[in-house]
Amino acid sequence: MNAREAILGKARRALADVPDVEPVLDVPVVRPTPARDRTHEQVVDLFDERVADYRAVVERATGAAAADAVAGALAGRTPIAGSGPLRILVPPGFPPELVPSGIEVVTDGPDITVSDLDRCDGVLSTAAVGIAETGTIILDHGPGQGRRAATLVPDLHVCVIRADQVVAGVPEAVAGLDPVRPHTWISGPSATSDIELDRVEGVHGPRTLHVVIVGPAG
Amino acid sequence: MSGTFLGTPAFPTAARTALGDSQLRRNLAHATGTIRTKRAGVVGEVDEWEQLRLAGAAIKERVLRHLPDYLEQLERSLTAAGATVHWARDAAEANAIVVGIAQRHGTDEVVKVKSMATQEIELNEALEAAGIHAWETDLAELIVQLGDDLPSHILVPAIHRNRAEIREIFLREMGRAGKAAPEDLTDEPKQLAAAARAHLREKFLRAKVAVSGANFAVAETGTLTVVESEGNGRMCLTLPEVLVSVVGIEKVLPTFEDLDVMLQLLPRSSTGERMNPYTSTWTGVTPGDGPQEVHVVLLDNGRTDVLADPTGRQALRCIRCSACLNVCPVYERTGGHAYGSVYPGPIGAILTPQLRGVGSDPQTDSLPYASSLCGACFEVCPVRIDIPEVLVHLRGEVVDAHKKASRLPSVQDVAMKAASWTLSSAARTERAARAAGFGGKLAARVARRDPGGRTVLGAVPGPAGAWSDSRDVPVPAEESFRSWWERTDGGRSRTSDSDSDGGRS
C-alpha cells in the first residue's frame, strides 16, 4: 500500500465515531459579525495610527502632494553605490506621475535577478488593500506592486495606498482577495524580538517602511 | 548540527535541574511575563474575541472530523495549481522525499523557514547525513543551530539565551558556517540582528532550494500560508527556484475565507501583536514570480493515531501560537528543554505523548503529569483546546498502559486492598486505629514544626517515600477518635492530657 492510501485509510478508521454527514452540518461554524460603527474617514484615521504603531512612517497626501510625499521619502538617503543617483525599483503599472525625478529607475520584471534587486536602494509600490484594525497593507502583486521579491530585498519600501482601498478589519480584506494570486501582508517593517524580546526593526526585509495614504477619506 | 531530544530524562528529573538554573528562570520569567501582558492588551481590543475562538475551534474541529475528504480536496487543488503533492507516513519517508528533491537539483545546501514539522521529523539531521547543509534562517533558530542547542519555546526558540550568550555564539560559530560576525560585535540586539542579516543574506541570494512548513493549507484553493516577522520566510518562499513545504495533515482549513478567523486569532495569541509583520500566501506556481517548482509533503507521523482518540483529537486543532506556554506556571519555571520534545509546555504535554504513543518510555509517560491542572492554558487557547481535560485523560491512559504491561499489583493496588479489608470490619478498624495512635506517639518523637507551626514528619520510609519527599506529612493522632470518645464520654468529661490536635514535640 502506498503512503497516500495508508494515511487516508488510517484517518478513515480513526474517525469511526464520526457520523457520515456533511461537514457543514456536522460542525457548524458561526463567524462573529463585527460591530463596525466608524465612518470611512475614521477607518482611514485608524489605519494611519495603527501603521505608525509599528514604527513605520505614515503620511497623508491629497492630489499633487502625493508626488512630493514620495520624493520626500527618498530624500536624504545615501545610495549603496556611494555616489550618483539612488537606484529605485519601480514595478510596471506604478503611477508614472508619482515617480520622482533625479533617480535611476530600475523596472521590475522576471529578468531582474536577485543580485540586481540587492543593488537597489529602494522600491516604490502600490497596494491592493489596507486593513485599519491591524495596520496591515496587502499586496496581491498586481500592476504597480511588483513581484514578491521586489518589495522584499531593497532596504526601503515606499508604499502608496489610496484611502478608498482601506477597509476596517481582516474579514473585509480576505473577502476581497483572489486566492489564486500570491499575497504578501505587511504590518510594519521587518522586525524581530528574538533577543531578550527587544524589538529590532529590519532583519531581512526592508528596514524602513514608508506609507503614503493618498486622497481624502470617505 | 543541533542535537536531539533523545535521551532526555523524565520530566521530574529534567525539571529539577532546570529549577536550579537561576539565569534560566530569570530569562523565562521576563519573557513569559512580557508576552502575557502584550497578548492580554491586544486580545482586549477585540470585542468579539470569544466568538472568534468558538469559530476557530469549530473550523479546526470540522477539518479533523472530516480530514480524509479535506486532504483529498487539498491534493486536487494543489495539483491543479501546479504543485507536486507527496505523502509521508513517518519522519523517514518525509525526510527521504525532501533529500531526494534536493539531490535531483544537485545542491548541497537548502535554506529553511522556521517550521515545527521539520524539527519534529529531524529533517536537518537527515539532510546533513546526505551531505546537504540545512541553514535555519529565523534569527532564533539560527542562534539555536549555531549554538548546537535545542529549541526551548515554540515561538521564541532561543528564549533561554541572553544577549551576551548570543554574541559569544555568533563570534565563535558564524565564520564556520559562512560569513563571519564582525570582530567588534557588541551584545546590542540591533547589532546582533545586523550580523545575522549579513550572514544570511549571502545564503538567501545563492540558494536554489528552500524548505518551509505552513501555518495553514486551504483545501478549497490549495493556498499555503506562512506567518513570520523578519522577512526570512519571504526570502525562502520567493527567491529560490524550488520550494518544498512539509505540512502536517492537521494544518488543513476548508475554505479561503477561514483564513480571516485564523489570521485574527494567531498573531494576537502568539506574539501579542495585532498582526505579525509578514504573512505570505501562495497557491501552487505563479508564472514569472517566485519558485517555479513547488512541492508539498503531507505528513502523518502519528497524527492519525491522535485522530483515533475522540478526547485527545482536539490537540490537533493547535495552531502553534504558544500562548499556553506563556501562561503556564510549570513552563515558566522549568523552560522548554525539560519536556524533551520540540513541542514543550502544556500543548507539548498532550501532543507529544499522543504522537509518540503512551506506555512506550518513561520520559513520554511523565509528560501528562507535567502540569498543575490550573487551567490557564485552556483560557488562552485561541482554538479552545481543553488541555487539562486531555491531560487527565492521558494520565489514565498512562496508568492503564502500565497495568497492562505488568501483572504485578502496584503499591496503590496493595494499599487499597488492605484498606478495604480493614475498613470492612469494625473490630479490625478499631485495632488499626489503636496501632495508628501508637504510631503517632512514636512519630511525635521524630516530628518537627513546619513554618506554619504545624507538627509534621519529614520524608517517610517505604513506598510513600517519593510522595513525602516533596510534601510534609502530618503526624498521626496519638489517640483514635473512638477511644477518645469512650474515654471522655464524647468530650463531656475532658481530661487534661489529651486535648490537643494530637501532635506535640
Side-chain angles (χ1 to χ4, degrees):
Chain A
M1 201 192 304
N2 67 26
R4 180 185 187 277
E5 299 312 317
I7 294 168
L8 289 172
K10 237 182 114 191
R12 287 216 165 79
R13 287 193 298 280
L15 293 166
D17 63 306
V18 176
D20 191 17
V21 291
E22 276 291 295
V24 180
L25 300 175
D26 181 35
V27 189
V29 176
V30 183
R31 287 181 168 70
T33 321
R36 309 261 195 244
D37 47 10
R38 293 187 183 95
T39 63
H40 189 252
E41 197 174 336
Q42 288 169 323
V43 167
V44 178
D45 287 345
L46 183 66
F47 176 72
D48 183 336
E49 184 187 303
R50 296 270 157 103
V51 174
D53 248 15
Y54 296 119
R55 299 186 214 168
V57 185
V58 193
E59 274 186 276
R60 308 281 284 269
T62 48
D68 295 337
V70 173
L74 301 182
R77 292 190 71 92
T78 322
I80 303 172
S83 63
L86 290 169
R87 279 168 58 88
I88 301 295
L89 193 70
V90 181
F94 186 84
E97 67 276 14
L98 297 182
V99 180
S101 55
I103 59 166
E104 184 189 335
V105 170
V106 181
T107 307
D108 183 48
D111 53 323
I112 300 292
T113 65
V114 179
S115 29
D116 289 337
L117 292 177
D118 199 31
R119 283 194 294 273
C120 288
D121 296 297
V123 54
L124 308 181
S125 87
T126 57
V129 192
I131 307 175
E133 282 170 5
T134 58
T136 303
I137 287 155
I138 303 181
L139 309 184
D140 68 3
H141 304 285
Q145 299 167 50
R147 296 169 305 151
R148 283 173 282 171
T151 44
L152 170 65
V153 181
D155 201 26
L156 165 73
H157 178 194
V158 181
C159 183
V160 180
I161 185 166
R162 297 192 316 271
D164 63 23
Q165 291 178 302
V166 179
V167 298
V170 176
E172 293 93 323
V174 171
L177 293 173
D178 174 3
V180 174
R181 309 187 69 93
H183 300 122
T184 305
W185 298 37
I186 299 171
S187 308
S190 160
T192 182
S193 300
D194 280 340
I195 301 165
E196 296 183 16
L197 295 180
D198 254 16
R199 188 176 165 100
V200 175
E201 271 89 36
V203 193
H204 308 296
R207 281 184 270 208
T208 308
L209 173 66
H210 194 122
V211 179
V212 179
I213 307 170
V214 180
Chain B
M1 202 45 52
S2 298
T4 72
F5 283 106
L6 203 68
T8 303
F11 186 82
T13 310
R16 195 177 298 240
T17 313
L19 281 168
D21 184 342
S22 57
Q23 171 77 57
L24 176 77
R25 289 220 315 278
R26 250 198 314 278
N27 292 359
L28 286 168
H30 167 65
T32 54
T34 307
I35 306 178
R36 271 204 304 272
T37 311
K38 278 182 71 185
R39 180 199 161 276
V42 295
V43 164
E45 279 178 6
V46 183
D47 292 334
E48 60 268 26
W49 185 254
E50 197 51 36
Q51 293 100 295
L52 271 176
R53 281 179 83 205
L54 286 163
I59 290 167
K60 294 295 283 194
E61 203 57 19
R62 182 185 281 181
V63 164
L64 293 174
R65 286 171 67 87
H66 300 274
L67 189 60
D69 297 340
Y70 285 122
L71 285 173
E72 286 180 311
Q73 190 188 8
L74 175 67
E75 182 186 40
R76 283 194 300 274
S77 308
L78 280 168
T79 309
T84 307
V85 177
H86 311 257
W87 299 74
R89 272 170 280 209
D90 54 27
E93 281 189 355
N95 289 337
I97 293 164
V98 182
V99 168
I101 294 167
Q103 282 172 338
R104 270 205 302 288
H105 289 274
T107 185
D108 62 356
E109 65 173 10
V110 302
V111 286
K112 283 193 68 217
V113 190
K114 179 180 181 312
S115 141
M116 301 304 294
T118 61
Q119 272 177 23
E120 176 191 321
I121 61 174
E122 296 180 351
L123 175 65
N124 292 5
E125 289 74 10
L127 285 165
E128 207 65 37
I132 300 163
H133 302 296
W135 306 119
E136 290 293 347
T137 64
D138 170 77
L139 179 52
E141 291 289 357
L142 177 72
I143 295 165
V144 168
Q145 186 178 40
L146 289 176
D148 198 17
D149 196 357
L150 289 165
S152 65
H153 190 285
I154 290 174
L155 173 72
V156 272
I159 199 66
H160 56 291
R161 297 286 199 185
N162 61 30
R163 59 183 74 193
E165 293 173 303
I166 294 166
R167 173 179 173 269
E168 290 294 310
I169 292 169
F170 279 11
L171 282 172
R172 195 177 64 228
E173 300 294 335
M174 270 186 173
R176 292 194 212 177
K179 192 179 168 74
E183 277 172 27
D184 58 352
L185 184 70
T186 73
D187 65 3
E188 266 303 294
K190 218 179 180 74
Q191 277 215 27
L192 295 169
R197 178 185 174 103
H199 177 79
L200 287 171
R201 185 151 285 225
E202 61 166 23
K203 293 192 163 77
F204 288 133
L205 299 193
R206 69 169 186 239
K208 278 169 82 175
V209 178
V211 176
S212 81
N215 292 90
F216 307 105
V218 179
E220 177 192 34
T221 57
T223 305
L224 265 54
T225 311
V226 162
V227 302
E228 47 126 4
S229 295
E230 296 168 11
N232 65 305
R234 293 179 63 193
M235 289 274 181
C236 294
L237 299 172
T238 62
L239 300 187
E241 297 158 23
V242 182
L243 171 62
V244 189
S245 305
V246 180
V247 182
I249 53 173
E250 82 285 14
K251 294 284 182 180
V252 187
L253 296 180
T255 67
F256 190 77
E257 188 192 10
D258 295 326
L259 282 174
D260 96 48
V261 174
M262 294 303 168
L263 290 176
Q264 291 182 78
L265 289 170
L266 179 54
R268 289 184 202 257
S269 303
S270 178
T271 51
E273 292 167 299
R274 297 185 181 108
M275 190 61 77
N276 48 289
Y278 297 130
T279 298
S280 299
T281 76
W282 70 102
T283 304
V285 175
T286 306
D289 184 358
Q292 296 299 297
E293 186 180 325
V294 170
H295 297 265
V296 178
V297 182
L298 297 174
L299 174 74
D300 182 347
N301 205 36
R303 285 158 176 77
T304 46
D305 296 321
V306 187
L307 200 63
D309 182 337
T311 305
R313 183 182 294 162
Q314 56 184 309
L316 295 177
R317 285 189 214 150
C318 176
I319 55 173
R320 313 284 189 258
C321 73
S322 74
C324 62
L325 277 62
N326 301 324
V327 297
C328 177
V330 176
Y331 177 88
E332 183 176 325
R333 285 160 182 82
T334 63
H337 290 161
Y339 294 81
S341 152
V342 293
Y343 305 108
I347 187 64
I350 62 169
L351 197 54
T352 304
Q354 295 197 83
L355 288 172
R356 290 183 187 161
V358 297
S360 48
D361 79 276
Q363 197 279 329
T364 305
D365 287 354
S366 71
L367 292 177
Y369 296 89
S371 168
S372 65
L373 298 180
C374 74
C377 47
F378 170 64
E379 295 298 315
V380 296
C381 178
V383 287
R384 296 177 55 95
I385 302 170
D386 193 340
I387 295 177
E389 181 194 15
V390 183
L391 282 168
V392 171
H393 171 71
L394 289 176
R395 288 180 186 186
E397 300 271 297
V398 169
V399 170
D400 286 347
H402 285 265
K403 256 194 195 143
K404 274 181 210 138
S406 156
R407 290 218 188 131
L408 286 175
S410 69
V411 173
Q412 288 99 310
D413 289 342
V414 173
M416 283 304 162
K417 282 238 166 68
S420 134
W421 180 80
T422 308
L423 293 169
S424 64
S425 144
R428 284 196 289 260
T429 306
E430 175 59 23
R431 277 200 297 279
R434 273 191 206 151
F438 178 65
K441 282 186 181 143
L442 278 181
R445 300 187 182 185
V446 296
R448 58 182 169 77
R449 291 271 179 193
D450 75 0
R454 204 169 45 126
T455 309
V456 294
L457 293 174
V460 301
W467 190 85
S468 62
D469 266 356
S470 51
R471 291 170 182 84
D472 290 324
V473 183
V475 173
E478 289 173 14
E479 187 180 21
S480 76
F481 176 73
R482 275 164 178 264
S483 123
W484 169 83
W485 185 272
E486 279 168 16
R487 182 167 56 77
T488 62
D489 191 18
R492 279 183 281 272
S493 66
R494 268 167 86 103
T495 52
S496 62
D497 66 339
S498 198
D499 59 350
S500 71
D501 61 356
R504 52 174 121 131
S505 51

